[in-house]
């Protein structure tokens, strides 16, 4: 009897192993898609990216260099073009730091504080994503325009907001406000306050705790939000178009200058400036991908 039991043990182990293998194979078949479906979805995705992203981008650069490299570089010798580039960079340099500070403050309030109106604050953070940029520009015209609510007082004080740099900055800040807050808030909520509370218990003040504990934890998400904010700030058209007045050499940012050139049938200059914006977008995409990779690696290291 003992010999028979010994002979049956390997058979039982083999049967168990076979059942486990069969169950795993069945699970893989149940959760994996057929090869034809994978090929179809991949083809549709790549085709969509080619038609709506790669092809238009290639056409922009083709039109920009249609008359050669010399004609392309000559476009940037024009005073109106260089002014639009510098104005775009100036607006981004003002709007992005402001939205970084505001976004961090809003994210901190939503993630760490309990108060009445917290849900309303969350809705207001999302509001610029749901309001048309043109409507946002009209709001500022109604507030600060010559016939607006504060217009007469501003005119008496000789303060110009609409059709000037302040109006462009305000409208850009409005449409780009959500990006930093929306990226940072979920990470602050996920990380909790244990490390900050430990730092405060050990004698660190609030400012030191923020810079030495909080910022290192959220640095990659913060950089990611700043990148998105900057990309939108440089490419904003609708709100800026309403408040700028399209004054050449004064209030035309790069997107507005491209529209002016195109409407004047200056196609090569228009596409040349557009190619510069496209290069900035590609650079933003590369930095975003690198930031995402570093963030994922940091999360894996923290899990270990």
């Amino acid at each position: 009897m003992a010999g028979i039991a010994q002979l049956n043990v390997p058979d039982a182990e083999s049967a168990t192993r076979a059942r486990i293998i069969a169950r795993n194979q069945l699970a893989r078949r149940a959760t994996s898609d057929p090869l034809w479906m994978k090929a179809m979805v991949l083809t549709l995705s790549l085709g969509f990216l080619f038609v709506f992203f790669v092809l238009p981008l290639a056409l922009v650069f083709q039109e920009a260099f249609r008359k050669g490299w010399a004609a392309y570089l000559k476009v940037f010798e024009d005073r109106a073009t260089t002014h639009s580039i510098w104005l775009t960079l100036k607006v981004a340099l003002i709007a992005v730091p402001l939205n970084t500070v505001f976004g961090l403050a809003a994210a901190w309030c939503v993630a760490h504080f309990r108060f009445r109106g917290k849900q309303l604050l969350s809705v207001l953070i999302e509001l610029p994503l749901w309001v048309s940029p043109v409507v946002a520009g009209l709001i500022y015209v109604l507030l600060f325009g010559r016939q607006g609510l504060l217009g007469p007082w501003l005119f008496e004080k000789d303060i110009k907001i609409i059709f000037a740099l302040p109006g462009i900055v305000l409208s850009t800040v409005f449409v780009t406000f959500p990006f930093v807050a929306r990226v940072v808030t979920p990470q602050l909520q996920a990380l909790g306050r244990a490390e900050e509370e430990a730092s405060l218990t050990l004698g660190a003040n609030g400012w030191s705790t923020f810079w030495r504990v909080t910022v290192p934890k959220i640095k990659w998400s913060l950089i990611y939000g700043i990148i998105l904010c900057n990309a939108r700030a440089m490419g904003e058209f609708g709100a800026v178009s309403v408040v700028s007045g399209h004054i050449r050499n004064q209030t035309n940012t790069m997107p507005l200058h491209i529209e002016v050139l195109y409407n004047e049938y200056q196609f090569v200059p228009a596409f040349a400036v557009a190619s510069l914006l496209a290069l900035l977008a590609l650079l933003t995409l590369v930095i975003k991908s690198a930031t995402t990779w570093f963030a994922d690696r940091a999360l894996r290291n923290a899990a270990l």
Side-chain angles (χ1 to χ4, degrees):
M1 294 295 293
I4 295 175
Q6 291 177 355
L7 289 174
N8 289 337
V9 169
D11 294 339
E13 292 179 352
S14 300
T16 302
R17 190 180 300 110
R19 285 196 298 271
I20 293 174
I21 293 174
R23 186 164 59 248
N24 292 338
Q25 290 176 347
L26 180 62
R28 282 196 295 269
R29 287 196 299 270
T31 56
S32 61
D33 297 319
L35 182 61
W36 66 268
M37 184 176 293
K38 293 180 180 178
M40 183 181 69
V41 173
L42 183 61
T43 302
L44 287 174
S45 301
L46 293 177
F48 184 88
L49 288 175
F50 178 78
V51 172
F52 291 98
F53 180 73
V54 177
L55 185 60
L57 196 63
L59 290 175
V60 167
F61 284 97
Q62 177 185 340
E63 290 297 320
F65 289 98
R66 186 175 57 174
K67 294 185 178 180
W69 182 256
Y72 179 85
L73 293 179
K74 190 175 181 180
V75 171
F76 299 100
E77 297 176 2
D78 179 58
R79 181 187 172 190
T81 299
T82 55
H83 182 273
S84 69
I85 295 172
W86 286 115
L87 180 60
T88 302
L89 295 176
K90 186 187 299 183
V91 171
L93 286 173
I94 298 173
V96 173
L98 287 176
N99 273 334
T100 301
V101 175
F102 297 158
L104 278 173
W108 187 271
C109 290
V110 173
H112 288 161
F113 295 158
R114 293 182 180 179
F115 56 93
R116 291 184 179 180
K118 181 177 178 179
Q119 189 62 36
L120 177 61
L121 176 60
S122 300
V123 172
L124 291 176
I125 292 173
E126 302 279 346
L127 183 63
L129 297 177
W130 306 107
V131 175
S132 170
V134 175
V135 174
L138 289 174
I139 291 172
Y140 284 110
V141 171
L142 292 175
L143 282 174
F144 305 115
R146 181 69 180 275
Q147 306 300 324
L149 182 64
L150 302 177
W153 182 84
L154 292 172
F155 181 74
E156 290 178 3
K157 302 296 182 180
D158 195 24
I159 300 174
K160 194 171 184 181
I161 294 180
I162 302 302
F163 304 152
L165 177 62
I168 298 174
V169 172
L170 286 173
S171 59
T172 303
V173 167
F174 178 84
V175 299
T176 57
F177 175 76
F179 292 102
V180 174
R182 292 181 78 243
V183 173
V184 174
T185 300
Q187 187 166 12
L188 281 176
Q189 291 174 330
L191 293 173
R193 299 196 61 182
E195 295 184 19
E196 284 86 352
E197 291 173 354
S199 175
L200 294 172
T201 303
L202 293 173
N205 57 34
W207 190 250
S208 178
T209 299
F210 176 76
W211 282 109
R212 297 185 179 183
V213 178
T214 305
V215 171
K217 291 194 303 181
I218 64 171
K219 62 180 180 180
W220 294 117
S221 60
L222 178 60
I223 292 173
Y224 180 53
I226 292 173
I227 291 170
L228 293 178
C229 181
N230 182 70
R232 179 62 188 274
M234 290 192 297
E236 175 55 31
F237 179 85
V240 173
S241 178
V242 175
V243 302
S244 69
H246 291 268
I247 306 173
R248 184 171 290 189
N249 291 321
Q250 293 186 34
T251 62
N252 270 353
T253 58
M254 290 174 65
L256 301 182
H257 187 60
I258 292 170
E259 183 194 32
V260 170
L261 292 174
Y262 190 84
N263 289 337
E264 294 177 350
Y265 302 101
Q266 301 184 50
F267 297 122
V268 171
F271 282 102
V273 180
S275 69
L276 183 58
L277 268 182
L279 286 174
L280 292 174
L282 291 175
L283 179 62
T284 301
L285 184 62
V286 171
I287 298 174
K288 170 189 170 296
S289 301
T291 303
T292 304
W293 183 82
F294 280 116
D296 292 341
R297 190 179 70 169
L299 288 175
R300 288 195 300 267
N301 293 336
L304 296 175

